[in-house]
Amino acid sequence: MTSTVDSTLQVLFSREQIRHRVAELGRQIDRDYAGEKVVLVGVLKGAAIFLADLARSISVDNTFDFVAVSSYGKGHQSSGAVKLIKDLDQPIEGKNVIIVEDILDTGLTLHFLRGLLDQHQPKSLRVAALLDKPSRRLEKIEAEYVGFSIPNQFVIGYGMDFAERYRNLPDICLMPAEDS
Ligand code: IMP
C-alpha cells in the first residue's frame, strides 16, 4: 500500500531520518542510565508518537507517565501562560525522570514543567526534546537530549499539529504558508 502523506508537503525530516535519530537518542539514554530505571513523562499530545518510538529504542527498565499542559492554542502563537491540565498518575519521588517533549520552542512549557516536577524530588530530572528551536527561546532552558535543532520554522507531523491537524503524518513537514 502506498503512503497517505500529502505529496504537496515539504518534508523537513523523513521517517527514516527520525527513526535513525531516535535510535541514537535511545542508545545515549541507555548509556547514561545503565543499571537504572527511568520514568518517561510524555507531554500530551505532541510528544505521544516520539515517546512511543523513544521508549522502544531504550533497553533500560522504563515506565511511562503523561502530563498535559495548556496548549499553543489554535495558531502559531503561545499565550505565554502555561497551565497543568493533567497531572502525573504515579509518584516520581526518588526516581530518574526524563520529560519527553516534541518541541522546545520559547521554553515556557518546559521551564514550567521542570520546575513543577522538581518539586516532587525525583532522583534526577532531564529533558528529551525531539526538536529544538533555540532562536525562539524566552526562558533559559536546555534539553539534555535533542533530536534535531531547527531554525524558526513551524512544523507539523510525527505528533505535532497545527490546530490539531497533521499529527499522524509519519514525516516532520513544514507548515504550508497558505494554511497558517
Ligand atoms: P514552548 O512553551 O514555546 O517551548 O512551546 C512548546 C510547545 O509549543 C510544543 O510542545 C508544541 O506543542 C508547540 N509548538 C512550538 N513550535 C511548534 C511547531 O513548529 N509546530 C507545532 N507545535 C509547536
Side-chain angles (χ1 to χ4, degrees):
M1 211 162 85
T2 54
S3 164
T4 55
V5 177
D6 182 341
S7 59
T8 63
L9 289 174
Q10 192 186 332
V11 173
L12 186 60
F13 298 109
S14 68
R15 62 201 81 179
E16 290 80 16
Q17 286 173 299
I18 299 167
R19 190 169 50 77
H20 186 255
R21 186 68 189 119
V22 172
E24 284 179 346
L25 292 178
R27 284 198 293 274
Q28 203 180 333
I29 289 170
D30 276 346
R31 282 196 298 273
D32 293 350
Y33 294 89
E36 304 260 341
K37 292 181 183 177
V38 180
V39 184
L40 303 173
V41 176
V43 186
L44 295 171
K45 301 169 204 168
I49 292 177
F50 176 40
L51 186 143
D53 284 346
L54 185 65
R56 287 178 291 179
S57 302
I58 294 173
S59 305
V60 292
D61 199 338
N62 69 83
T63 56
F64 308 163
D65 206 337
F66 290 96
V67 291
V69 294
S70 52
S71 79
Y72 227 64
K74 287 189 161 60
H76 288 181
Q77 294 304 314
S78 166
S79 64
V82 184
K83 203 174 84 192
L84 192 71
I85 293 168
K86 186 217 165 290
D87 207 343
L88 295 166
D89 292 335
Q90 299 290 328
I92 54 164
E93 189 179 340
K95 298 188 174 169
N96 294 309
V97 174
I98 302 178
I99 304 173
V100 180
E101 175 64 309
D102 55 357
I103 306 188
L104 178 49
D105 186 26
T106 63
L108 291 167
T109 306
L110 278 169
H111 177 78
F112 167 81
L113 273 178
R114 209 171 186 151
L116 194 77
L117 298 195
D118 223 12
Q119 290 172 18
H120 293 257
Q121 298 181 306
K123 180 179 177 185
S124 66
L125 183 59
R126 289 186 172 179
V127 172
L130 178 65
L131 299 179
D132 187 7
K133 294 186 197 174
S135 66
R136 294 259 306 159
R137 206 74 92 246
L138 297 176
E139 287 286 355
K140 197 177 177 313
I141 179 159
E142 298 304 325
E144 284 80 4
Y145 306 99
V146 173
F148 306 99
S149 263
I150 61 169
N152 182 16
Q153 296 168 313
F154 200 87
V155 295
I156 49 175
Y158 196 72
M160 291 168 283
D161 75 311
F162 177 69
E164 295 298 328
R165 293 179 63 206
Y166 307 109
R167 292 193 195 277
N168 63 322
L169 297 177
D171 309 299
I172 297 173
C173 300
L174 291 176
M175 184 67 203
E178 63 272 20
D179 284 5
S180 46

